[in-house]
Amino acid sequence: MRELTSEALLEDVRRWVAIESPTQDAGAVNRMADHAEAELRGLGAAIERIPGTDGFGDILLGRVPGETGGPGILVLGHMDTVHPVGTLAGPLPFRIEGERAYGPAIYDMKGGNAIAIAALKHLHATGRRPRLPVTVMMIPDEEAGSPSSRARIEAEALRHAMVLVAEPSGQGGRLTVARHGIARFHLRAIGRPAHAGAYHEKGRSAIREMAHQVLAIEAMTDYARTIVLNVGTITGGTHENMVPLGCEACVYVLVPTVDAEAEVHGRLLGLRPANPDVRLEVRRGLFRPPYVKTPAIQALSDHATALARDLPFPVAGERVAGGGSDGNFTGALGVPTLDGLGVIGDGPHTHEEHLLIPCLVPRTTLWVRLFETLDAPLVAAAQAPGSSVAM
Ligand SMILES: [Zn+2]
């Protein structure tokens, strides 16, 4: 891509969105990986593709040499989406309305993947290179908490000087400099089955029990402390003419600190069944630890803000993001991580998901400038002992 134009960038984004890739469909995610692999190959990256495990798609790495040696920049993106196959032909077709382009995962985060790679394509097409080596790492299972990728992400992060994450920007173009933690807990109620017509009084309904628990769990939400409990999925029962034996629910929990996660865990373990004949089980699931802004992250954020100052979409400040990303893993390890460098838009995970077309050229330009100017001393100086930062 010699010239960064809205049309060319939007076409790149469209090609990402055209391949639907829900997390649970490994074949679909791998078709997305095929596309990303072809893009990275085309700009001269050395490809490494790690076969998927646990029913998830492949992990894809593309390594681009820099003008100087490593350790370099790790660019993190995820290929999977929450939207099932059929969303594109159904409730959320790719379409343009005024300044907005709509489509499944266009904002979270196929738009971000497309522009980060477009920036590398642009450098390649114009005979330039990033200053530091760049590794683009594409993840197949982020929307499920990255269970099959976490160890690989952490190992790669530790080999790099810094991490840039192409997750969506905050409102108006804010960068993400810290993230809260995201925990998952799995609940199971085990009741006593009975024929619902003939012996209803002998049964103990697991669904009825879970209904009590859902209210108790969501009441633990404390917005003032940034603790949010959302019962996101629930399944139970086998037939409408039976008192249900089992019911399962998954609770998605936002926490500001590791201690708050432990506190929530303790409270969930303390739940008692409303009906003593029903058994209740609580199992801890995946946890993305929170990370906070360090002096090195501040240095990255200041640097990006300065680079974007004269662009039509300057960086609109910083934010601490609620939703987790793979940046949680790298930030919690202490590797300087700047997140939210993707596209500007709104409606992630909904049928209103869109990006703002006018952000495409300036945001891609920001990536180009970051690749051309970021060097290891920038973050190393900020990581030196004794340096500090105001939060
Ligand atoms: Zn995302």
Side-chain angles (χ1 to χ4, degrees), residues 78 80 107-109 142-143 166-168 179 324-326 348-349:
H78 64 84
D80 62 318
Y107 176 57
D108 180 14
M109 59 175 288
E142 194 272 348
E143 296 290 5
E167 287 274 6
R179 281 186 184 270
S325 89
D326 288 323
H349 299 194

Side-chain angles (χ1 to χ4, degrees), residues 23-349:
T23 316
Q24 290 74 16
D25 187 338
V29 174
N30 283 343
R31 282 191 289 281
M32 193 71 258
D34 292 343
H35 174 71
E37 181 179 334
E39 289 275 278
L40 289 165
R41 249 184 227 291
L43 61 86
I47 301 296
E48 197 181 320
R49 191 152 162 172
I50 301 161
T53 53
D54 307 327
F56 293 109
D58 300 347
I59 297 172
L60 177 71
L61 293 124
R63 300 186 197 273
V64 179
E67 281 177 347
T68 62
I73 300 169
L74 179 64
V75 174
L76 274 180
H78 64 84
M79 303 177 286
D80 62 318
T81 84
V82 299
H83 298 284
V85 171
T87 306
L88 200 53
L92 185 51
F94 178 83
R95 68 188 197 279
I96 292 163
E97 283 179 16
E99 292 192 331
R100 295 177 173 191
Y102 288 81
I106 198 165
Y107 176 57
D108 180 14
M109 59 175 288
K110 293 186 175 182
N113 295 337
I115 64 166
I117 291 175
L120 290 170
K121 293 201 309 192
H122 176 67
L123 288 175
H124 181 72
T126 51
R128 288 134 78 196
R129 278 186 175 191
R131 180 177 292 192
L132 292 175
V134 173
T135 304
V136 178
M137 186 175 195
M138 289 286 146
I139 301 305
D141 56 351
E142 194 272 348
E143 296 290 5
S146 309
S148 77
S149 318
R150 178 178 183 168
R152 295 273 184 176
I153 293 166
E154 292 178 338
E156 280 298 329
L158 290 171
R159 282 198 279 270
H160 287 77
M162 64 194 86
V163 179
L164 303 179
V165 188
E167 287 274 6
S169 278
Q171 263 150 10
R174 296 201 292 164
L175 299 177
T176 301
V177 294
R179 281 186 184 270
H180 297 310
I182 298 290
R184 286 171 170 82
F185 294 92
H186 303 276
L187 263 80
R188 195 149 80 103
I190 302 115
R192 188 190 298 159
H195 188 293
Y199 302 104
H200 187 263
E201 74 285 359
K202 292 188 189 299
R204 299 290 182 269
S205 168
I207 290 180
R208 182 188 169 94
E209 178 61 42
M210 195 63 86
H212 283 287
Q213 300 302 335
V214 169
L215 297 178
I217 289 164
E218 295 218 337
M220 294 177 192
T221 294
D222 184 344
Y223 294 122
R225 293 180 62 207
T226 327
I227 294 175
V228 178
L229 289 90
N230 177 65
V231 179
T233 62
I234 189 161
T235 55
T238 48
H239 203 282
E240 69 272 16
N241 70 4
M242 276 180 68
V243 176
L245 165 67
C247 184
E248 298 188 3
C250 182
V251 194
Y252 176 96
V253 185
L254 177 77
V255 287
T257 62
V258 172
D259 286 350
E261 190 267 350
E263 177 190 322
V264 168
H265 186 208
R267 291 187 70 184
L268 293 176
L269 285 177
L271 289 171
R272 292 291 162 259
N275 184 324
D277 295 338
V278 179
R279 200 165 83 239
L280 198 62
E281 295 174 355
V282 176
R283 186 170 59 81
R284 197 184 212 158
L286 294 166
F287 178 41
R288 285 187 192 279
Y291 74 95
V292 297
K293 182 166 73 173
T294 61
I297 293 175
Q298 184 70 66
L300 277 176
S301 172
D302 290 346
H303 185 73
T305 302
L307 291 178
R309 193 157 286 144
D310 63 331
L311 294 174
F313 270 90
V315 168
E318 299 176 343
R319 68 165 179 169
V320 179
S325 89
D326 288 323
N328 285 68
F329 299 139
T330 62
L333 280 178
V335 182
T337 299
L338 188 62
D339 201 337
L341 284 162
V343 293
I344 299 165
D346 208 350
H349 299 194

